[in-house]
PDB file of all heavy atoms in Angstrom:
ATOM      1  N   GLY F   6      -0.053  14.132   2.989  1.00 96.00           N
ATOM      2  CA  GLY F   6      -0.605  15.477   2.882  1.00 96.00           C
ATOM      3  C   GLY F   6      -1.974  15.669   3.477  1.00 96.00           C
ATOM      4  O   GLY F   6      -2.484  16.806   3.494  1.00 96.00           O
ATOM      5  N   SER F  20     -11.035   0.947  -6.941  1.00 92.00           N
ATOM      6  CA  SER F  20     -10.177   2.122  -6.739  1.00 92.00           C
ATOM      7  C   SER F  20     -10.630   2.941  -5.537  1.00 92.00           C
ATOM      8  O   SER F  20      -9.803   3.500  -4.815  1.00 92.00           O
ATOM      9  CB  SER F  20     -10.152   2.988  -8.006  1.00 92.00           C
ATOM     10  OG  SER F  20     -11.424   3.551  -8.264  1.00 92.00           O
ATOM     11  N   ALA F  27      -5.724   3.743   1.743  1.00 98.00           N
ATOM     12  CA  ALA F  27      -4.453   4.467   1.696  1.00 98.00           C
ATOM     13  C   ALA F  27      -4.546   5.812   2.404  1.00 98.00           C
ATOM     14  O   ALA F  27      -3.583   6.266   3.031  1.00 98.00           O
ATOM     15  CB  ALA F  27      -4.025   4.652   0.237  1.00 98.00           C
ATOM     16  N   ALA F  37     -17.194   8.136   3.537  1.00 97.00           N
ATOM     17  CA  ALA F  37     -17.346   7.492   2.234  1.00 97.00           C
ATOM     18  C   ALA F  37     -18.802   7.257   1.887  1.00 97.00           C
ATOM     19  O   ALA F  37     -19.668   7.178   2.779  1.00 97.00           O
ATOM     20  CB  ALA F  37     -16.596   6.163   2.240  1.00 97.00           C
ATOM     21  N   ASN F  41     -24.500   1.993  -4.179  1.00 94.00           N
ATOM     22  CA  ASN F  41     -24.715   0.549  -4.134  1.00 94.00           C
ATOM     23  C   ASN F  41     -24.619   0.046  -2.695  1.00 94.00           C
ATOM     24  O   ASN F  41     -23.609   0.245  -2.017  1.00 94.00           O
ATOM     25  CB  ASN F  41     -23.674  -0.148  -5.012  1.00 94.00           C
ATOM     26  CG  ASN F  41     -23.867  -1.643  -5.064  1.00 94.00           C
ATOM     27  OD1 ASN F  41     -23.447  -2.346  -4.155  1.00 94.00           O
ATOM     28  ND2 ASN F  41     -24.489  -2.123  -6.119  1.00 94.00           N
ATOM     29  N   SER F  73     -14.273   8.130  -7.807  1.00 95.00           N
ATOM     30  CA  SER F  73     -13.890   6.950  -8.584  1.00 95.00           C
ATOM     31  C   SER F  73     -14.088   7.221 -10.072  1.00 95.00           C
ATOM     32  O   SER F  73     -14.951   8.022 -10.469  1.00 95.00           O
ATOM     33  CB  SER F  73     -14.717   5.743  -8.152  1.00 95.00           C
ATOM     34  OG  SER F  73     -14.394   5.370  -6.836  1.00 95.00           O
ATOM     35  N   ILE F 155      -5.289  -1.538 -15.179  1.00 87.00           N
ATOM     36  CA  ILE F 155      -4.987  -2.958 -15.347  1.00 87.00           C
ATOM     37  C   ILE F 155      -4.356  -3.444 -14.045  1.00 87.00           C
ATOM     38  O   ILE F 155      -3.602  -2.730 -13.402  1.00 87.00           O
ATOM     39  CB  ILE F 155      -4.021  -3.172 -16.539  1.00 87.00           C
ATOM     40  CG1 ILE F 155      -3.788  -4.664 -16.818  1.00 87.00           C
ATOM     41  CG2 ILE F 155      -2.705  -2.456 -16.325  1.00 87.00           C
ATOM     42  CD1 ILE F 155      -2.967  -4.918 -18.081  1.00 87.00           C
ATOM     43  N   LEU F 160      -2.923   2.746  -5.578  1.00 97.00           N
ATOM     44  CA  LEU F 160      -2.546   2.902  -4.173  1.00 97.00           C
ATOM     45  C   LEU F 160      -2.370   1.557  -3.471  1.00 97.00           C
ATOM     46  O   LEU F 160      -1.942   1.519  -2.315  1.00 97.00           O
ATOM     47  CB  LEU F 160      -3.573   3.766  -3.443  1.00 97.00           C
ATOM     48  CG  LEU F 160      -3.593   5.224  -3.922  1.00 97.00           C
ATOM     49  CD1 LEU F 160      -4.799   5.959  -3.367  1.00 97.00           C
ATOM     50  CD2 LEU F 160      -2.308   5.942  -3.538  1.00 97.00           C
ATOM     51  N   ARG F 184      -5.422  15.868 -10.457  1.00 95.00           N
ATOM     52  CA  ARG F 184      -4.763  17.168 -10.303  1.00 95.00           C
ATOM     53  C   ARG F 184      -3.244  17.035 -10.401  1.00 95.00           C
ATOM     54  O   ARG F 184      -2.568  18.013 -10.725  1.00 95.00           O
ATOM     55  CB  ARG F 184      -5.131  17.776  -8.951  1.00 95.00           C
ATOM     56  CG  ARG F 184      -6.566  18.269  -8.883  1.00 95.00           C
ATOM     57  CD  ARG F 184      -6.973  18.620  -7.453  1.00 95.00           C
ATOM     58  NE  ARG F 184      -8.253  19.302  -7.459  1.00 95.00           N
ATOM     59  CZ  ARG F 184      -8.416  20.609  -7.220  1.00 95.00           C
ATOM     60  NH1 ARG F 184      -7.367  21.365  -6.964  1.00 95.00           N
ATOM     61  NH2 ARG F 184      -9.602  21.166  -7.235  1.00 95.00           N
ATOM     62  N   ALA F 212      -8.469  15.985 -25.169  1.00 95.00           N
ATOM     63  CA  ALA F 212      -7.978  16.874 -24.103  1.00 95.00           C
ATOM     64  C   ALA F 212      -7.710  16.102 -22.819  1.00 95.00           C
ATOM     65  O   ALA F 212      -6.730  16.386 -22.104  1.00 95.00           O
ATOM     66  CB  ALA F 212      -8.989  17.988 -23.854  1.00 95.00           C
ATOM     67  N   ARG F 250      13.619  14.135 -26.648  1.00 94.00           N
ATOM     68  CA  ARG F 250      12.693  13.935 -25.528  1.00 94.00           C
ATOM     69  C   ARG F 250      11.370  13.347 -26.025  1.00 94.00           C
ATOM     70  O   ARG F 250      10.600  12.801 -25.245  1.00 94.00           O
ATOM     71  CB  ARG F 250      12.427  15.257 -24.801  1.00 94.00           C
ATOM     72  CG  ARG F 250      13.645  15.837 -24.092  1.00 94.00           C
ATOM     73  CD  ARG F 250      13.336  17.207 -23.544  1.00 94.00           C
ATOM     74  NE  ARG F 250      12.934  18.114 -24.629  1.00 94.00           N
ATOM     75  CZ  ARG F 250      12.468  19.337 -24.419  1.00 94.00           C
ATOM     76  NH1 ARG F 250      12.338  19.805 -23.181  1.00 94.00           N
ATOM     77  NH2 ARG F 250      12.132  20.105 -25.447  1.00 94.00           N
ATOM     78  N   SER F 255       5.122   4.623 -35.055  1.00 96.00           N
ATOM     79  CA  SER F 255       4.128   4.376 -36.101  1.00 96.00           C
ATOM     80  C   SER F 255       4.090   2.893 -36.442  1.00 96.00           C
ATOM     81  O   SER F 255       5.077   2.173 -36.285  1.00 96.00           O
ATOM     82  CB  SER F 255       4.473   5.177 -37.360  1.00 96.00           C
ATOM     83  OG  SER F 255       3.566   4.870 -38.408  1.00 96.00           O
ATOM     84  N   ALA F 322      14.305 -10.330 -26.999  1.00 97.00           N
ATOM     85  CA  ALA F 322      14.145 -11.635 -26.345  1.00 97.00           C
ATOM     86  C   ALA F 322      12.869 -11.673 -25.520  1.00 97.00           C
ATOM     87  O   ALA F 322      12.156 -12.688 -25.485  1.00 97.00           O
ATOM     88  CB  ALA F 322      15.361 -11.927 -25.471  1.00 97.00           C
ATOM     89  N   GLN F 335      -6.259 -13.240 -28.498  1.00 89.00           N
ATOM     90  CA  GLN F 335      -5.827 -14.401 -27.711  1.00 89.00           C
ATOM     91  C   GLN F 335      -6.133 -15.695 -28.467  1.00 89.00           C
ATOM     92  O   GLN F 335      -7.296 -16.008 -28.724  1.00 89.00           O
ATOM     93  CB  GLN F 335      -6.548 -14.391 -26.359  1.00 89.00           C
ATOM     94  CG  GLN F 335      -6.271 -15.598 -25.482  1.00 89.00           C
ATOM     95  CD  GLN F 335      -7.209 -15.661 -24.282  1.00 89.00           C
ATOM     96  OE1 GLN F 335      -8.186 -14.926 -24.201  1.00 89.00           O
ATOM     97  NE2 GLN F 335      -6.903 -16.559 -23.349  1.00 89.00           N
ATOM     98  N   GLY F 389     -11.082  -9.746 -45.527  1.00 95.00           N
ATOM     99  CA  GLY F 389     -10.610 -11.055 -45.105  1.00 95.00           C
ATOM    100  C   GLY F 389     -11.685 -11.916 -44.468  1.00 95.00           C
ATOM    101  O   GLY F 389     -11.409 -13.038 -44.035  1.00 95.00           O
TER     102      GLY F 389
END
Side-chain angles (χ1 to χ4, degrees):
S20 66
N41 182 279
S73 293
I155 185 174
L160 293 169
R184 288 169 170 253
R250 294 173 301 172
S255 176
Q335 176 191 11

